[in-house]
């Protein structure tokens, strides 16, 4: 049995639609995310995967249930504490990179460290190392518009690694990439797990990524329907 890093217990979330109808999108989901493993979350579009990922990552409060990081209750904290906790403990990669267009690759990666209180010079040094780690040593001063889609997504991954968080959440990180660039990202996930001990939860439709996962959670209509 491996250690559990994140435990969700009886998580529920619904949205209000027009005419005050209530649409349940996550229904009483409990799951354990093992430390230092790659877990993927699969399911049809609309199954509630992104909503669940946001709840596990402290981005969206559930209506019911709790999320524990080891023994710390995420939503037991004040909003400002959750933000701080997230900044230090979790990194996020989304389908679209959300890099800041007017800043260079190094600056985009350095910004979360500066928010966490790292001095500029140190933040830029760390950012340079992270960009080297993702194979972008030659693109440090490029702005997002000067990078390919695959390179932009690797900058986003380097940014997610700022502050050295134990866990990385990724929502369809290769959904917008060709197979070659998708594979580069997958190889980095494996390297980060094996060399730095990172924990991943990745929403994906990508069969290759499912194949290399240590653990697969399946969702259907807001419910956790299986794990393997
Ligand atoms: N802000 C929102 N307001 C209303 N409905 C939403 C909102 N966000 C998501 N939904 C609905 O919740 C369901 C689950 O969405 P989501 O978690 O994004 O699914 P998935 O990531 O599996 O495609 C979908 O039917 C979606 O339309
Ligand atoms: Mg989604």
């Amino acid at each position: 049995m491996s250690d559990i890093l994140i435990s969700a217990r009886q998580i529920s979330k619904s949205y209000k639609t027009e005419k005050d109808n209530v649409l349940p999108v996550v229904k009483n989901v409990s799951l354990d995310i093992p430390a230092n493993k790659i877990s993927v979350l699969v399911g049809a579009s609309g199954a509630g995967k992104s909503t669940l990922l946001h709840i596990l990552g402290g981005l969206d409060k559930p209506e019911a249930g709790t999320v524990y990081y080891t023994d710390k209750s995420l939503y037991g904290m004040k909003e400002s504490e959750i933000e701080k906790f997230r900044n230090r403990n979790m990194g996020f990669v989304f389908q679209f990179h959300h890099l800041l267009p007017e800043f260079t690759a190094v600056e985009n990666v350095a910004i979360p460290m500066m928010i966490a209180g790292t001095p500029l010079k140190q933040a830029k040094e760390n950012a340079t190392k992270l960009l080297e780690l993702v194979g972008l040593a030659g693109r440090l001063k490029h702005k997002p518009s000067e990078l390919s889609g695959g390179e932009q997504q690797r900058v986003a991954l380097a940014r997610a690694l700022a502050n050295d968080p134990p866990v990385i959440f990724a929502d369809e990180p290769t959904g917008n990439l060709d197979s070659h660039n998708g594979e580069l990202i997958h190889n980095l996930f494996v390297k980060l797990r094996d060399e730095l001990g990172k924990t991943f939860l990745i929403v994906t439709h990508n069969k290759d990524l499912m194949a290399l996962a240590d653990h697969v959670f399946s969702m259907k209509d807001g419910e956790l329907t299986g794990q393997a």
Side-chain angles (χ1 to χ4, degrees):
M1 253 323 258
S2 56
D3 292 342
I4 301 303
L5 186 62
I6 302 170
S7 290
R9 287 293 170 270
Q10 295 174 303
I11 298 292
S12 293
K13 175 94 187 174
S14 56
Y15 290 109
K16 289 222 166 49
T17 56
E18 300 139 52
K19 294 187 244 152
D20 273 350
N21 284 332
V22 176
L23 175 73
V25 294
V26 177
K27 303 172 189 168
N28 204 30
V29 168
S30 298
L31 54 78
D32 290 325
I33 299 174
N36 316 134
K37 304 280 184 204
I38 296 174
S39 295
V40 299
L41 177 57
V42 303
S45 180
K49 305 180 299 297
S50 294
T51 305
L52 180 61
L53 184 100
H54 291 166
I55 291 170
L56 294 171
L59 295 168
D60 192 4
K61 198 173 178 353
E63 279 156 13
T66 38
V67 177
Y68 296 100
Y69 265 73
T70 56
D71 56 352
K72 215 170 158 63
S73 166
L74 189 58
Y75 293 100
M77 300 183 220
K78 282 188 291 197
E79 188 60 41
S80 59
E81 290 173 324
I82 295 177
E83 236 164 77
K84 210 171 179 183
F85 188 82
R86 204 169 52 222
N87 190 255
R88 285 162 200 277
N89 292 285
M90 309 171 200
F92 294 89
V93 180
F94 298 102
Q95 180 173 0
F96 300 100
H97 54 76
H98 300 302
L99 298 172
L100 299 171
E102 65 273 37
F103 291 99
T104 65
V106 164
E107 289 163 348
N108 266 283
V109 179
I111 286 167
M113 293 184 243
M114 292 170 65
I115 291 172
T118 308
L120 175 68
K121 187 165 173 284
Q122 183 69 53
K124 283 193 166 176
E125 274 175 31
N126 296 350
T128 301
K129 288 197 190 112
L130 289 172
L131 287 165
E132 286 167 359
L133 183 71
V134 299
L136 292 175
R139 300 288 186 278
L140 301 178
K141 300 226 165 115
H142 284 54
K143 292 189 175 163
S145 64
E146 299 162 346
L147 297 166
S148 74
E151 289 166 346
Q152 289 168 354
Q153 198 58 315
R154 280 185 281 147
V155 176
L157 179 56
R159 179 185 53 183
L161 294 165
N163 303 321
D164 201 19
V167 53
I168 304 289
F169 291 98
D171 197 348
E172 305 197 25
T174 62
N176 207 28
L177 300 180
D178 60 36
S179 59
H180 170 68
N181 279 295
E183 202 181 318
L184 286 178
I185 294 280
H186 299 168
N187 292 343
L188 283 167
F189 290 157
V190 170
K191 175 170 158 171
L192 291 165
R193 177 196 62 190
D194 294 346
E195 293 178 16
L196 299 179
K198 300 294 180 195
T199 298
F200 289 88
L201 181 65
I202 307 169
V203 171
T204 190
H205 294 290
N206 187 310
K207 296 268 189 311
D208 298 333
L209 190 46
M210 284 177 218
L212 64 77
D214 301 298
H215 205 79
V216 179
F217 296 103
S218 315
M219 265 186 105
K220 191 181 176 200
D221 298 333
E223 291 180 60
L224 194 68
T225 50
Q227 43 183 314

